[in-house]
Amino acid sequence: MTRRSTLPARRIVVVGNGMTGARFAEEVARRDPDGRRVRVTLVGAEPGPAYNRVLLPGLIDGAYAPRDIALPEPQTAGITRLRGTAATGIDPRERTVDLDTGERLDYDELVLATGARAALPPLRGLAAADGTPAEGVTALRDLADQRRLAHLVRPGAPAVVLGGGVLGLETARALTGAGVRVAVVEAAPWIMRRQIDRACAQVLARAYEDLGVRVHAWRVADRWAPGSGLVLDDGTVLAGDAIVVTAGVRPAVELADKAGVKVEHGVVVDDRLASSDPRIHAIGDCASHPGGGAGLVQPGYEQARILADLLTGADPAARYTGARPVTRLKAQGIDLTAMGATDDEAAEPGTESVVVSDPAKRRYAKLNVAGGRVSGAVLLGFPEASPEVSRLFDEGAAVPEDRLGLLQGRPEEAGAEGEGSAGGREAHVCRCNAVTRTDIEQAWLDGARTRPAIAQATRATTGCGGCTRDVDALLKAMDGKGAAKVG
């Protein structure tokens, strides 16, 4: 017999209806579908429903429609959503949140999921006098940015992407897919400096050049000249009708800072995701935890899950201990996965490396092993190896002796037991949501025959989006063969 609490439901206010805030509400709904334990009020400044910001570049070239990037929003008695509404202040003593509508919300627990905002670098011409983007300038953080970019670019016309990180490269690829002539400018010695080593970056740059993107690494921009383009410090002008700035973000911590909550590169939180005020919590890009995780989808979702466990009472022992980030570049025609320390300068002492370099085929793989475990890896053009290497890194599992076989996507020959993974454990297709191929096949057998239906049933593709092509390929294979036998 299940006991039901007779105590009144506790009030949780969530500020931010982005990916992490929406996921927290979904996790709460799974644990408390009737709203008996908690009542959640979700406050979002954007007027529409929650969506996957990571997939915004896909709207540029038509890979996705807006409906394709929508996130699940369970309609339950315990969740109220206030869209197009901004929080303007927090009173920790009274436990209230002020809204721009003039309303005031009382809370027992407050969750900050305010995310981060694009940071315009101090470059002449990028910002107007009031700090807003100047003529021809945009970021790509939300749907408003995407619509602005769509009005700025035209097929055959030039555009510049400032920043050679993951978002910059994904944006550049999407723009070329829309017929735009693109140049990428990166001030660091090589593109994706934080995720991959120089050798891989050189091969990746060539792959982008093959697609029509001009890559300018280790180049310093001097100013943006509307109507002309981006002027580099040596006087070179890169033609551009528009410039997309993807050169960094700043955590949105103004509300917490004004309320006296401790802020250091984000709202400082402990393993319970509580701030310096134990009734105020932070998750996602606005949170600063010693174990990291800001800027990544999977850790944000993990934080949302753990905080839902804690605030609903489903698991009082739940703790967030940090992130082991895996980055996947989502660009048509490019398959790149990176994790851990891949640059030799960042490698642990005694690290053993296996490197496969095939520049002519635009392929490169590097596996770093320290203490018998994966300490870092980068896989460009090795899609068969990515799931198993990622799993080994995730779990801190022992690396098989045949490391070359592992990179070639032959885990069984490399010493793994069971089909597709070591010890019989199945690798994830969707790492953000821990979804396996078996999960997807079962959802297909249960009637989920499209990507949105698979997403609804399993949550696959609702994270970083890196698994979208894999899910599409599985659906195509299953549709072609009929019902696939699970197991």
Side-chain angles (χ1 to χ4, degrees), residues 37-404:
R37 298 180 181 180
V38 297
R39 295 278 174 162
V40 175
T41 301
L42 193 60
V43 179
E46 292 189 72
Y51 58 90
N52 191 331
R53 299 174 192 275
V54 178
L55 302 181
L56 284 172
L59 298 182
I60 298 171
D61 61 358
Y64 304 114
R67 65 178 179 276
D68 296 327
I69 67 172
L71 292 174
E73 288 192 336
Q75 304 300 315
T76 65
I79 298 177
T80 300
R81 293 178 175 82
L82 303 179
R83 296 175 178 144
T85 304
T88 57
I90 301 167
D91 186 334
R93 179 173 296 181
E94 297 295 326
R95 292 187 197 161
T96 60
V97 177
D98 291 330
L99 307 180
D100 61 358
T101 59
E103 298 173 274
R104 176 170 291 178
L105 301 176
D106 297 314
Y107 68 82
D108 295 304
E109 306 283 347
L110 176 64
V111 178
L112 298 177
T114 48
R117 298 188 181 92
L120 291 180
L123 187 69
R124 286 185 294 167
L126 284 186
D130 60 359
T132 59
E135 178 187 348
V137 179
T138 188
L140 190 56
R141 290 289 300 176
D142 55 33
L143 279 170
D145 289 336
Q146 187 273 326
R147 288 190 288 267
R148 177 178 172 84
L149 179 58
H151 283 96
L152 290 173
V153 296
R154 296 289 184 274
V160 178
V161 175
L162 184 60
V166 175
L167 177 59
L169 293 177
E170 290 176 352
T171 302
R173 178 65 185 106
L175 286 169
T176 60
V180 179
R181 294 158 33 217
V182 184
V184 173
V185 177
E186 171 54 57
W190 61 85
I191 54 178
M192 288 187 66
R193 176 68 178 82
R194 295 181 180 180
Q195 292 87 15
I196 65 178
D197 63 344
R198 185 190 293 269
C200 181
Q202 291 173 343
V203 178
L204 179 61
R206 292 177 188 174
Y208 263 79
E209 295 280 355
D210 291 345
L211 296 170
V213 178
R214 292 173 294 155
V215 178
H216 303 270
W218 217 346
R219 300 298 299 274
V220 177
D222 179 67
R223 68 184 186 279
W224 169 248
S228 180
L230 183 67
V231 183
L232 304 182
D233 61 350
D234 63 358
T236 301
V237 179
L238 302 178
D241 292 348
I243 181 169
V244 188
V245 180
T246 63
V249 297
R250 293 191 182 95
V253 297
E254 294 82 4
L255 284 172
D257 196 27
K258 287 193 298 182
V261 175
K262 185 177 181 181
V263 171
E264 290 180 3
H265 308 294
V267 179
V268 177
V269 295
D270 59 18
D271 290 355
R272 295 175 177 84
L273 300 165
S275 72
S276 57
D277 182 323
R279 297 282 187 152
I280 299 178
H281 313 265
I283 55 178
D285 288 353
C286 71
S288 177
H289 183 275
L296 301 166
V297 175
Q298 186 193 13
Y301 280 1
E302 177 73 0
Q303 291 171 359
R305 180 187 65 79
I306 289 168
L307 190 58
D309 277 340
L310 290 168
L311 297 190
T312 63
D315 182 4
R319 299 291 183 270
Y320 176 75
T321 57
R324 289 178 65 78
V326 173
T327 300
R328 187 163 184 182
L329 183 67
K330 299 167 292 299
Q332 187 65 35
I334 305 287
D335 197 298
L336 171 64
T337 303
M339 64 206 77
T342 59
D343 189 22
D344 291 340
E345 295 180 2
E348 300 176 34
T351 295
E352 302 171 0
S353 298
V354 178
V355 178
V356 178
S357 183
D358 184 9
K361 294 292 186 179
R362 306 301 188 245
R363 297 188 299 178
Y364 178 90
K366 183 175 187 179
L367 177 68
N368 284 344
V369 178
R373 306 293 192 268
V374 177
S375 60
V378 57
L379 304 162
L380 173 60
F382 287 80
E384 297 84 4
S386 296
E388 181 63 6
V389 175
S390 298
R391 187 194 66 79
L392 292 171
F393 177 74
D394 254 348
E395 298 178 1
V399 177
E401 292 184 5
D402 186 359
R403 292 160 189 178
L404 181 58

